[in-house]
């Protein structure tokens, strides 16, 4: 685990989220999903759990999740732009899922909110432009980690999370 004496680097994700990479005492990097990424998934789970109620006011989601409504507004705006949510403004407005829960996978959600989930900068783009790529002893390890992570997250659907919450008695 990283020591308590850390310097944070913040990279702006494509979806407006921030992926934090903390330098630990040994000079390594630790990638963490930001609160925006976590709350985006929690919001989707919440909306899926209440999908039979029609349009859900954001204030209801914020209250159930114990999150600032202002903060959730930023998150749902990005998710609406990405086509994850359907929204209606006004007194009878609110949000609902734009697709069935089994049609959302967590890799696409996190990539939309966070940007790249690559564990190292040289894997952030489709083509590795690092000048040391051909001779790098660790690039295959990082590529394998990235593939394992994206494969795992791609296999987890919103339906899976809703079913897990139902089994454990939890909320989004």
């Amino acid at each position: 685990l990283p020591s308590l004496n850390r310097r944070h680097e913040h990279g702006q994700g494509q979806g407006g989220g921030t992926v934090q990479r903390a330098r630990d005492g040994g000079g390594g990097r630790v990638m963490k999903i930001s609160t925006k990424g976590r709350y985006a998934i929690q919001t989707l789970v919440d909306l899926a759990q209440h999908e039979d109620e029609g349009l859900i006011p954001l204030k209801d989601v914020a209250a159930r999740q114990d999150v600032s409504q202002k903060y959730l507004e930023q998150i749902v705006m990005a998710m609406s732009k990405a086509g994850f949510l359907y929204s209606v403004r006004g007194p009878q407005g609110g949000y609902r899922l734009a697709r069935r829960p089994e049609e959302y996978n967590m890799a696409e959600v996190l990539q939309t909110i966070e940007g790249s989930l690559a564990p190292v900068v040289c894997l952030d783009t489709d083509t590795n432009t690092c000048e040391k790529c051909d001779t790098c002893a660790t690039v295959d390890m990082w590529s394998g980690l990235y593939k394992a992570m994206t494969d795992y997250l791609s296999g987890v659907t919103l339906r899976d999370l809703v079913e897990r919450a139902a089994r454990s008695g939890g909320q989004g």
Side-chain angles (χ1 to χ4, degrees):
L1 290 175
S3 70
L4 294 176
N5 183 15
R6 314 189 281 188
R7 247 188 36 227
H8 290 285
E9 297 176 14
H10 296 282
Q12 188 67 25
Q14 293 170 346
T18 301
V19 177
Q20 292 185 350
R21 293 196 169 124
R23 289 196 186 269
D24 66 15
R29 289 180 173 222
V30 180
M31 190 192 99
K32 294 182 181 182
I33 302 300
S34 72
T35 55
K36 277 188 178 180
R38 294 192 335 259
Y39 291 154
I41 291 173
Q42 286 175 247
T43 298
L44 290 173
V45 171
D46 187 284
L47 291 171
Q49 289 173 320
H50 297 275
E51 67 183 337
D52 59 335
E53 298 171 25
L55 292 170
I56 308 295
L58 195 58
K59 67 180 175 62
D60 293 356
V61 176
R64 285 191 294 263
Q65 298 302 319
D66 194 26
V67 177
S68 155
Q69 183 176 336
K70 281 273 190 218
Y71 193 51
L72 280 187
E73 286 171 0
Q74 298 171 31
I75 296 168
V76 297
M77 188 182 323
M79 291 198 297
S80 293
K81 274 186 184 176
F84 295 155
L85 300 178
Y86 172 77
S87 65
V88 174
R89 300 176 101 167
Q92 300 301 313
Y95 293 87
R96 69 172 169 78
L97 299 177
R99 336 184 256 211
R100 297 188 323 253
E102 57 273 14
E103 295 174 349
Y104 294 82
N105 75 66
M106 295 307 106
E108 72 174 333
V109 172
L110 287 172
Q111 287 169 339
T112 296
I113 299 300
E114 301 284 355
S116 174
L117 298 176
V120 291
V121 175
C122 64
L123 298 176
D124 275 343
T125 59
D126 290 337
T127 304
N128 188 334
T129 58
C130 177
E131 60 192 44
K132 297 179 183 179
C133 180
D134 293 335
T135 59
C136 181
T138 61
V139 70
D140 290 338
M141 175 188 68
W142 296 124
S143 293
L145 174 63
Y146 185 33
K147 181 178 179 347
M149 184 171 59
T150 54
D151 286 352
Y152 174 76
L153 290 170
S154 293
V156 177
T157 68
L158 180 55
R159 171 74 60 213
D160 297 331
L161 297 179
V162 170
E163 289 172 356
R164 184 183 190 292
R167 285 192 306 272
S168 68
Q171 290 190 56

